[in-house]
Amino acid sequence: MKWSFFISILFTVLGLGYYGDRLFELDYPDHFPKPEYQFKSNPLDSNIVQLGRALFYDPIFSKDNSISCASCHSPYNSFAHTDHDLSHGIGDSIGHRNAPALINLAWNKHFMWDGAIHNLDMQALAPIEHPKEMGSSFAEAIQRISASDLYKKLFFISYGDSIATGERALKALSQFQLTLVSAASKYDQVKLGRDQFSNQETKGYKLFRKHCNSCHSEPLFTNGEFANNGIGPDTTLYDVGRLAISKDLDDALKFKIPTLRNLEYTFPYMHDGRFRYLSEVLKHYTDVIEYSETLHADLVGGIKLSSNDQVDLLAFLMTLTDKEFVFNSQFHYPKELFLPDED
Amino acid sequence: MNNCKGIIYLLFLIVSLHACKSSRTFDNGNKPPKLKFSTKFKFQFKLSLSNEELELGKSYFSPTLNDSFKIDVLRFYITNIGFDFAGAPFGEMEKEYHLIDFSNDSSTVVNIETPLHGDHLTFQLGVDSLINAGGAMDGVLDPVNGMYWSWQSGYVNFKMEGSSPMCQTRNNKFNLHLGGFLSPNQSACQVKIPFTHVAEEMNIDLPIEKIFENYKLSEVPDIMSPGSETVRLSKVIAESFAFKK
């Protein structure tokens, strides 16, 4: 027992000699909970993060080399697909949902609007193989990556040999996406005692805590669950939401509760992108909630907010904007890898 | 740095030698004696129709369907291979995953070396929920093998694709993709095959008519998501395996 302890210490020391400068832990402030992602099976490594970043921005996953992850998850829009109600993929085909912002994914339990995916590693398979998104088989995409000189090099410096496997590619994509932590908004600065809310923001925060926080719970601004928020099905899509996955009628019209962080950048709103402006979203919650059996109990009868309240609430919601996140060049297109000869 | 590593390795060597020595002194009395004999089993999976071996890509006539059919793809995952004796697990299980793929002969063979075998061979048909929820995997569990649903989380435990004139579908195709790991639709199943004889090389037969007897190919040519029908058919398949001379 004693020996095995020493042996494990020795291995740790040896291991650090090789990887110590590359391994790192996800950085997040104290007011955040512990992440959901199991880092043990995929410890963050700066080289693997860069490999994942290259894969994220490379259209190599799509059948005709036209669409990358970033096509619908743009860094300048907090990794959402701004201006498109329904996101479009290969050959300009239009999907049936709005691409959500990729923020604080390490804390997500479920992925996709209907929670079809349970692990971040496996999420990328869905858009890669979807005929209206990237339209490729995963095996063919991995073959294209294996044949690329750039990736031979990147896999070598990440994993010690140049072999591109599905597991490695998926884990690298996860690593890059896990680093997309938004925790530097004014809200966070206030929580850390480095800033103060204005009077209007304080009033808005109180209203938020009263009316919104049960679903869009602090500090991630989502509780990670599914809810029917009374927007009713789009009559051209008839999207039943979580029901299609769980086959449980109690889940009809329920969708994943999205984070409100960076909502200034992530318009249009809702799973089908039906609201272009936040004012429309608020109007929905105060005036137009459609009753159905699975409607969230807190929304029956709508939320009572005066027009002054609405302005205050919007002022608070704007404190969730994290410019540092949006302008972080570490998250952007890896020019240095794809275009090494420029600048 | 190199010098430093050398010293650490030397230390490690000394530590491990000591560890070996102490375990010999203390544990000798508790360890069961090593058995001298062991059987090297070579289990080979085969498909059959009316007791004749069935090959992929060939058309056959099935008396059960009363029509012809052809299977192009048939593969499935197995793991936790072990033995039962008198209704209880006997010895250690082999926990590795195997993807039995009839388009690749070498994948249909599973070698197991065991000192003792019981009265049943047991294995799990399909991937357990921990692996399903565990993120990206390598080897036979790598999603490049085409045995992972992309539109939702989960491995396809058993895949059978083919065609039959009785299927009113495009190119008369049928697709059976069985999987699902979430309650109440967990479809990984325990398989228990009684030994009818014992030999070093044993064939495990999957009679295709057993599937056809329990699955109306003409009515539901495609099953490709978890559900109660998936669970039922997975059980049917798990109960169909048998040793064959």
Side-chain angles (χ1 to χ4, degrees):
Chain A
M1 196 58 218
K2 202 165 66 181
W3 289 123
S4 63
F5 174 72
F6 282 120
I7 291 169
S8 58
I9 297 244
L10 274 172
F11 269 119
T12 315
V13 171
L14 287 173
L16 285 178
Y18 287 110
Y19 295 114
D21 48 344
R22 279 169 44 188
L23 290 180
F24 66 100
E25 284 195 17
L26 196 69
D27 191 25
Y28 57 88
D30 289 345
H31 58 277
F32 272 42
K34 252 186 78 189
E36 290 284 335
Y37 190 81
Q38 297 299 312
F39 287 95
K40 246 191 236 161
S41 60
N42 190 17
L44 291 178
D45 172 316
S46 51
N47 288 358
I48 299 177
V49 169
Q50 290 309 313
L51 168 64
R53 182 178 168 209
L55 291 169
F56 187 87
Y57 282 95
D58 197 327
I60 196 163
F61 276 120
S62 64
K63 193 174 187 170
D64 62 356
N65 224 36
S66 64
I67 303 284
S68 72
C69 306
S71 301
C72 292
H73 298 283
S74 154
Y76 306 106
N77 306 118
S78 193
F79 295 94
H81 200 183
T82 297
D83 235 19
H84 291 274
D85 52 352
L86 304 174
S87 298
H88 57 85
I90 196 161
D92 288 335
S93 25
I94 308 239
H96 71 294
R97 286 181 186 153
N98 177 259
L102 307 182
I103 303 173
N104 300 340
L105 296 178
W107 287 268
N108 270 24
K109 284 187 284 235
H110 309 279
F111 300 85
M112 319 303 270
W113 281 107
D114 53 16
I117 315 278
H118 299 89
N119 191 299
L120 179 60
D121 293 355
M122 299 324 227
Q123 190 282 334
L125 292 170
I128 292 167
E129 296 208 335
H130 195 287
K132 289 181 166 184
E133 296 182 47
M134 296 181 182
S136 177
S137 95
F138 184 58
E140 282 164 18
I142 294 300
Q143 276 168 19
R144 284 193 293 276
I145 289 167
S146 301
S148 140
D149 289 341
L150 171 67
Y151 287 108
K152 278 186 190 135
K153 207 167 74 190
L154 293 180
F155 274 86
F156 177 77
I157 62 169
S158 297
Y159 290 106
D161 66 54
S162 62
I163 299 164
T165 67
E167 183 204 17
R168 288 172 172 183
L170 292 173
K171 285 191 163 166
L173 274 171
S174 282
Q175 291 218 6
F176 171 64
Q177 294 177 85
L178 287 163
T179 64
L180 304 177
V181 175
S182 173
S185 64
K186 179 167 183 186
Y187 164 84
D188 297 300
Q189 299 302 325
V190 172
K191 286 283 145 183
L192 292 166
R194 295 174 192 157
D195 203 343
Q196 281 186 324
F197 286 135
S198 69
N199 280 344
Q200 194 179 37
E201 287 162 357
T202 306
K203 277 191 237 162
Y205 186 34
K206 277 190 190 136
L207 291 163
F208 173 85
R209 303 263 296 192
K210 187 170 168 203
H211 297 296
C212 319
N213 196 45
S214 66
C215 289
H216 296 285
S217 317
E218 296 177 77
L220 298 165
F221 293 89
T222 169
N223 61 4
E225 298 300 321
F226 302 85
N228 171 359
N229 70 347
I231 58 172
D234 179 305
T235 51
T236 63
L237 298 166
Y238 289 108
D239 191 342
V240 293
R242 180 119 180 102
L243 167 64
I245 298 301
S246 70
K247 295 182 177 138
D248 180 349
L249 282 174
D250 292 341
D251 285 334
L253 303 180
K254 287 186 183 173
F255 291 88
K256 196 157 68 131
I257 295 163
T259 178
L260 301 183
R261 283 179 174 271
N262 272 336
L263 82 175
E264 199 178 343
Y265 294 109
T266 61
F267 64 92
Y269 306 104
M270 306 296 152
H271 67 273
D272 52 9
R274 73 173 70 175
F275 299 133
R276 192 171 171 80
Y277 302 106
L278 279 174
S279 54
E280 289 173 89
V281 176
L282 287 186
K283 191 172 156 55
H284 161 72
Y285 283 116
T286 53
D287 296 352
V288 241
I289 286 202
E290 199 174 296
Y291 182 80
S292 56
E293 273 178 41
T294 56
L295 178 67
H296 195 282
D298 293 355
L299 295 176
V300 178
I303 298 174
K304 302 277 173 289
L305 288 174
S306 69
S307 52
N308 279 345
D309 287 348
Q310 294 190 28
V311 175
D312 294 343
L313 183 56
L314 283 176
F316 168 70
L317 292 176
M318 291 303 123
T319 70
L320 303 181
T321 295
D322 181 354
K323 286 213 166 76
E324 209 175 282
F325 177 82
V326 173
F327 292 105
N328 184 342
S329 61
Q330 279 301 304
F331 299 160
H332 293 176
Y333 184 80
K335 271 205 302 243
E336 61 279 17
L337 291 175
F338 291 147
L339 310 163
D341 300 330
E342 294 189 13
D343 65 36
Chain B
M1 192 63 203
N2 260 344
N3 251 348
C4 178
K5 263 187 200 149
I7 292 168
I8 290 172
Y9 274 122
L10 195 68
L11 238 117
F12 174 63
L13 195 70
I14 295 167
V15 167
S16 25
L17 284 175
H18 267 277
C20 290
K21 201 177 147 203
S22 57
S23 87
R24 225 179 306 163
T25 350
F26 293 113
D27 294 338
N28 210 17
N30 301 332
K31 272 191 180 166
K34 259 204 170 169
L35 286 155
K36 280 177 191 159
F37 304 104
S38 67
T39 315
K40 277 184 188 166
F41 279 112
K42 181 181 163 192
F43 296 113
Q44 173 142 32
F45 284 88
K46 300 225 159 153
L47 299 173
S48 75
L49 181 78
S50 315
N51 279 321
E52 297 291 325
E53 192 172 340
L54 181 143
E55 289 175 41
L56 297 189
K58 274 193 185 173
S59 283
Y60 294 88
F61 190 86
S62 157
T64 316
L65 297 176
N66 199 25
D67 209 331
S68 68
F69 73 99
K70 179 166 76 94
I71 295 175
D72 297 312
V73 175
L74 203 149
R75 45 188 170 180
F76 51 83
Y77 282 113
I78 66 163
T79 185
N80 292 344
I81 304 165
F83 299 91
D84 261 21
F85 185 71
F90 193 57
E92 298 252 313
M93 279 193 295
E94 198 229 43
K95 297 201 180 280
E96 205 182 307
Y97 273 88
H98 300 264
L99 176 56
I100 310 296
D101 180 351
F102 289 94
S103 68
N104 169 9
D105 277 348
S106 65
S107 78
T108 63
V109 175
V110 176
N111 293 302
I112 299 279
E113 192 175 343
T114 177
L116 294 164
H117 60 83
D119 50 16
H120 284 75
L121 173 73
T122 61
F123 58 85
Q124 179 179 303
L125 175 67
V127 179
D128 66 36
S129 54
L130 272 179
I131 298 270
N132 265 294
M137 302 283 162
D138 64 354
V140 298
L141 292 168
D142 192 319
V144 291
N145 295 307
M147 291 291 278
Y148 195 91
W149 271 308
S150 57
W151 58 277
Q152 68 159 18
S153 278
Y155 282 91
V156 177
N157 294 330
F158 182 96
K159 192 180 246 194
M160 179 167 99
E161 295 177 355
S163 56
S164 169
M166 73 194 308
C167 299
Q168 304 295 311
T169 51
R170 201 171 85 88
N171 301 330
N172 307 115
K173 289 207 184 280
F174 62 83
N175 294 289
L176 202 59
H177 296 177
L178 307 179
F181 65 100
L182 292 174
S183 178
N185 296 321
Q186 296 105 324
S187 65
C189 288
Q190 196 61 23
V191 176
K192 230 176 129 176
I193 316 175
F195 280 103
T196 47
H197 64 292
V198 175
E200 290 201 344
E201 292 189 13
M202 300 198 52
N203 290 336
I204 302 173
D205 178 42
L206 176 60
I208 292 298
E209 60 261 35
K210 293 265 184 182
I211 301 177
F212 291 153
E213 279 164 16
N214 287 283
Y215 160 51
K216 293 269 174 285
L217 201 61
S218 55
E219 288 167 28
V220 195
D222 294 310
I223 298 179
M224 298 193 283
S225 65
S228 54
E229 188 61 3
T230 317
V231 175
R232 187 186 68 83
L233 268 175
S234 300
K235 281 194 190 132
V236 164
I237 293 166
E239 285 163 10
S240 303
F241 290 99
F243 282 122
K244 199 175 167 188
K245 275 193 182 172

